[in-house]
Amino acid sequence: MVRLEPRRQHSQSMVYLSPVLAILMTLVVGGIIFAFMGKNPLDALYTFFILPINNSYGLSELFVKATPLVIIAVGLAMGFRANVWNIGAEGQLTMGAIFGGGLALYFYDSESVFLLPAMFVLGALGGAFWGAIPALLRTRFNANEILTSLMLTYVATLFLSFLVHGPWRNPEGFNFPESRPFPDAGLLPVIYDGTRVHLGTAVAVLVVIAGWLLLSKSVIGFQLRVVGKAPQAARHVGFRQKRMIWFTLLLSGGLAGLAGLFEVAGPIGQLQPSISPGYGFTAIIVAFLGRLHPVGILFGGLIMALTYLGGELAQITLGLPNAVTGLFQGILLFFLLACDVLTKYRVRFGSIAAKGRTA
Amino acid sequence: MEWIVPFFLTVITASTPLLLAATGELVTEKSGVLNLGVEGMMLVGAIAGFAVTASSGSAGLGIIAAVIAGTLMSLIFAFLTLTLMANQVATGLALTIFGVGFSALVGSGFVGFAIDPLPGLSIPGISAIPIIGPILFGQDFLVYLSIVAVIGVGWFLARSRAGLVLKAVGDSHHSAHAIGYSVIKIRYLATMFGGAMAGLGGAYLSLSYTPMWAENMTAGRGWIALALVVFATWRPGRLVAGAYMFGLISVMQLHAQGAGIHVPSQFMSMLPYLATVIVLVIISSDRAKIRLNAPACIGQAFRAAQ
């Protein structure tokens, strides 16, 4: 019989080992799934995880895809630590794109150097605004932020759809549901010639560093760490939960909004009905994969970005449906959560009777 | 008056998947388990039901497949949260992400397939009564099942011994364990019931509501079902009212244009989601009522002291 025995302290090595273990187990299960679909598992895994990044352009695309994931996940992780479950980052991303992108469309013939910084600010504000609604509803009316933030995601997506089908549709655009292209002054500069790696990628690195400093050096970062580890102690010391809810939802909303703006002002260059392949949801997995720590999230973001690239490539070369990406992401999160048990518990084999000495 | 029958028929069709899934989740939550994976379980139920019906030609087999698929999904959740004591919120999210991907993968081979919708169970004579006949006596099997299930759950929780045990486990798992009930086993069963019902809700969408498969065809209904349980303050009677209210809201879009109301369709589509937020706010702000009715141990892991 297999039993779980609580550890006195969380195992530090397991904190780092369990994501690695989860990734390995996902690869094994992935191989089995590929075999079921009639593909050679090793070939398919190679196509999925190695081929996309064995050239410099592919590697650069990895950074492009990881950028929004990392930015969003750093914000979400702060909330998850304090048991604030913002799962509406996809909606906050959309609102950031609408607010910041709206400015670019209003000044569509602008050449001002101030346009882009102003779009940054509005993008972050748009996301923070959309995150503020669940914060208000939770602190003032006790409404569950999981459900409200998710419902608002549908509202934001529909609102964007309305804008690009209606008032913001490109008047010179043959009736396609998309906005005017942003002016050059409203586009993120590419920071590495010949690729799509843009200024947002550099910002993502800054966000990681800032998140790390916030978590390790600031008072609120200390509170976040304590609340996650010992919620009761935190309550006794008198940490104000409402402040924590506001802080984490505004921060994660603002970062998601910024990430959304980077998508439309970077790789996309205009507003469209669909501006994200679910970055806001995948970022939840990134946050867990990165152990809710900004530096871990940097690695987690790169790994999850790879599943997007691999999914695209597998679709083209192996004829696999794009949904394989989502499947891999879900399985990885399952294994991650399952492996987490190893940080808190020791797995013991043998019956209870045989282990009399601990009784 | 000829609009009455089609209007009520669309309301019933829109409400049934919500009622099925929410009834299951209510039982799960009453045992102290919060499974946020309803959306994922519904999607897997929808594709299982559709795939089996399309391949075998039997809607009955399809419904059974949906129940099994939903139950298997809930078992993944139960194993992770009850046996391995993983965080319930995170695991529920994982179940939804997995369900979206898995259903889309299996479903990619079934896009564009057509099946006959579930037949209405018509009773000769009675179903022919104008207005009342087609509305009350011409529905398909799953509509009646949704009503029977919610009444059954109401009776089970209020009157049966097993229902009392289930509620005890949800309200105080340590006491229930001390008396000698197997907390984990009861929670497994309640979670599996939730999965089976979510599977049925999904099957209703793909076999009756729109007899076809489309990626993400639940469109947030699993999440609305979760909100409905809160709206009902964990009471089955109010669940019926809530599900039908949401069914009504979500078909307004269909009927608004016929009535000459011209609002951009996106705003009409927002209504169910906005209504969910508003309803949650109204119900949740009464903290005393929530505290009185919510299972006290909801979302908490249980580990028997050894």
Side-chain angles (χ1 to χ4, degrees):
Chain A
M1 214 192 111
V2 183
R3 290 187 313 116
L4 297 173
E5 188 182 291
R7 293 178 193 270
R8 289 226 178 81
Q9 271 187 319
H10 287 195
S11 158
Q12 273 309 308
S13 55
M14 272 301 164
V15 168
Y16 300 108
L17 260 178
S18 81
V20 179
L21 237 119
I23 291 170
L24 288 178
M25 286 158 94
T26 307
L27 289 179
V28 172
V29 171
I32 296 171
I33 292 173
F34 285 137
F36 262 106
M37 296 168 72
K39 311 284 176 196
N40 179 328
L42 289 179
D43 274 358
L45 287 175
Y46 179 80
T47 309
F48 214 95
F49 293 106
I50 311 281
L51 208 52
I53 47 166
N54 74 351
N55 58 68
S56 55
Y57 185 76
L59 209 56
S60 75
E61 279 298 289
L62 190 70
F63 291 113
V64 174
K65 291 265 194 298
T67 297
L69 292 175
V70 169
I71 294 175
I72 300 169
V74 168
L76 293 183
M78 302 290 174
F80 293 169
R81 278 174 180 264
N83 279 320
V84 179
W85 298 95
N86 174 13
I87 63 166
E90 187 79 1
Q92 293 140 19
L93 173 154
T94 305
M95 271 302 171
I98 290 173
F99 271 57
L103 193 72
L105 294 175
Y106 188 77
F107 295 105
Y108 68 93
D109 51 2
S110 162
E111 289 174 10
S112 165
V113 289
F114 296 111
L115 179 59
L116 200 57
M119 285 164 67
F120 281 24
V121 173
L122 267 181
L125 280 178
F129 163 58
W130 219 233
I133 300 174
L136 175 76
L137 300 183
R138 166 84 189 268
T139 51
R140 177 79 181 74
F141 300 104
N142 195 30
N144 181 321
E145 79 281 6
I146 301 173
L147 295 171
T148 53
S149 65
L150 187 87
M151 289 296 129
L152 288 171
T153 294
Y154 289 100
V155 174
T157 311
L158 286 163
F159 187 52
L160 174 64
S161 165
F162 161 73
L163 289 175
V164 294
H165 279 91
W168 287 7
R169 175 155 50 189
N170 185 354
E172 293 135 36
F174 307 104
N175 247 357
F176 284 121
E178 53 189 35
S179 75
R180 281 177 200 275
F182 292 174
D184 284 345
L187 291 176
L188 289 169
V190 165
I191 55 174
Y192 197 88
D193 279 340
T195 71
R196 299 200 299 162
V197 178
H198 52 77
L199 190 61
T201 310
V203 175
V205 176
L206 291 180
V207 167
V208 167
I209 296 169
W212 188 10
L213 290 177
L214 180 88
L215 205 56
S216 56
K217 301 272 183 267
S218 73
V219 176
I220 191 128
F222 172 71
Q223 293 183 343
L224 286 172
R225 278 182 291 150
V226 174
V227 167
K229 280 197 181 131
Q232 306 224 307
R235 220 165 301 142
H236 280 301
V237 191
F239 292 168
R240 284 161 57 209
Q241 214 209 348
K242 283 191 179 179
R243 224 183 106 205
M244 214 76 93
I245 294 168
W246 274 106
F247 175 76
T248 53
L249 273 164
L250 286 178
L251 180 75
S252 56
L255 286 174
L258 197 60
L261 173 81
F262 287 167
E263 283 306 293
V264 292
I268 301 175
Q270 62 180 170
L271 290 182
Q272 298 171 348
S274 167
I275 53 169
S276 151
Y279 287 136
F281 296 110
T282 305
I284 297 170
I285 308 178
V286 171
F288 280 104
L289 191 58
R291 321 271 53 186
L292 305 184
H293 190 285
V295 177
I297 285 168
L298 190 61
F299 292 105
L302 290 169
I303 292 167
M304 293 313 277
L306 184 56
T307 64
Y308 278 113
L309 294 179
E312 286 171 11
L313 202 61
Q315 194 176 15
I316 297 164
T317 60
L318 298 174
L320 290 174
N322 203 16
V324 174
T325 302
L327 186 70
F328 265 115
Q329 294 180 350
I331 294 176
L332 178 60
L333 187 49
F334 279 148
F335 280 128
L336 213 60
L337 294 165
C339 288
D340 255 5
V341 80
L342 298 174
T343 63
K344 289 183 215 152
Y345 299 91
R346 223 183 283 278
V347 180
R348 291 280 188 205
F349 298 94
S351 71
I352 297 173
K355 281 206 41 71
R357 64 193 162 84
T358 55
Chain B
M1 291 298 272
E2 74 248 36
W3 60 272
I4 286 190
V5 171
F7 177 74
F8 276 100
L9 288 182
T10 49
V11 172
I12 292 170
T13 1
S15 314
T16 299
L18 296 174
L19 184 56
L20 284 167
T23 303
E25 178 67 16
L26 186 142
V27 172
T28 304
E29 291 191 12
K30 268 290 179 189
S31 80
V33 177
L34 177 65
N35 185 353
L36 293 179
V38 182
E39 180 89 355
M41 299 190 295
M42 282 181 87
L43 275 168
V44 172
I47 186 56
F50 186 83
V52 170
T53 304
S55 328
S56 72
S58 159
L61 284 180
I63 290 172
I64 293 169
V67 170
I68 295 173
T71 310
L72 288 176
M73 285 286 283
S74 67
L75 274 172
I76 300 177
F77 177 86
F79 178 73
L80 284 168
T81 58
L82 301 176
T83 303
L84 297 183
M85 287 164 284
N87 179 306
Q88 294 187 6
V89 173
T91 310
L93 293 176
L95 196 67
T96 288
I97 293 171
F98 172 79
V100 171
F102 183 73
S103 61
L105 181 65
V106 176
S108 62
F110 288 93
V111 175
F113 273 53
I115 55 165
D116 296 327
L118 281 185
L121 306 177
S122 86
I123 307 162
I126 301 178
S127 300
I129 301 172
I131 301 180
I132 297 173
I135 294 174
L136 291 184
F137 301 105
Q139 301 294 338
D140 60 53
F141 165 70
L142 287 179
V143 172
Y144 298 115
L145 185 68
S146 71
I147 302 292
V148 171
V150 77
I151 294 172
V153 162
W155 173 84
F156 172 79
L157 289 174
R159 297 264 177 269
S160 78
R161 193 184 148 75
L164 289 178
V165 172
L166 182 115
K167 284 192 287 184
V169 165
D171 279 329
S172 172
H173 46 213
H174 289 300
S175 321
H177 174 73
I179 301 170
Y181 293 117
S182 171
V183 173
I184 298 296
K185 193 179 107 192
I186 289 161
R187 287 190 171 164
Y188 255 92
L189 291 173
T191 307
M192 286 163 69
F193 180 74
M197 293 299 286
L200 276 178
Y204 186 80
L205 286 173
S206 64
L207 298 182
S208 183
Y209 191 80
T210 47
M212 54 163 224
W213 165 255
E215 257 184 51
N216 255 324
M217 68 186 297
T218 46
R221 286 186 182 84
W223 295 102
I224 293 179
L226 278 160
L228 273 176
V229 177
V230 180
F231 168 79
T233 53
W234 293 268
R235 282 180 294 187
R238 296 188 52 163
L239 206 57
V240 183
Y244 274 77
M245 187 185 83
F246 270 88
L248 184 73
I249 293 169
S250 60
V251 300
M252 290 219 291
Q253 184 184 1
L254 294 173
H255 299 283
Q257 286 187 331
I261 301 167
H262 292 291
V263 178
S265 68
Q266 289 93 350
F267 288 103
M268 296 305 290
S269 303
M270 282 179 198
L271 283 178
Y273 309 115
L274 288 174
T276 306
V277 172
I278 292 166
V279 155
L280 272 175
V281 165
I282 294 170
I283 299 293
S284 310
S285 56
D286 190 348
R287 283 166 207 253
K289 198 173 196 176
I290 290 284
R291 211 172 302 134
L292 203 63
N293 291 293
C297 292
I298 192 152
Q300 295 172 16
F302 173 77
R303 185 169 184 283
Q306 284 173 354

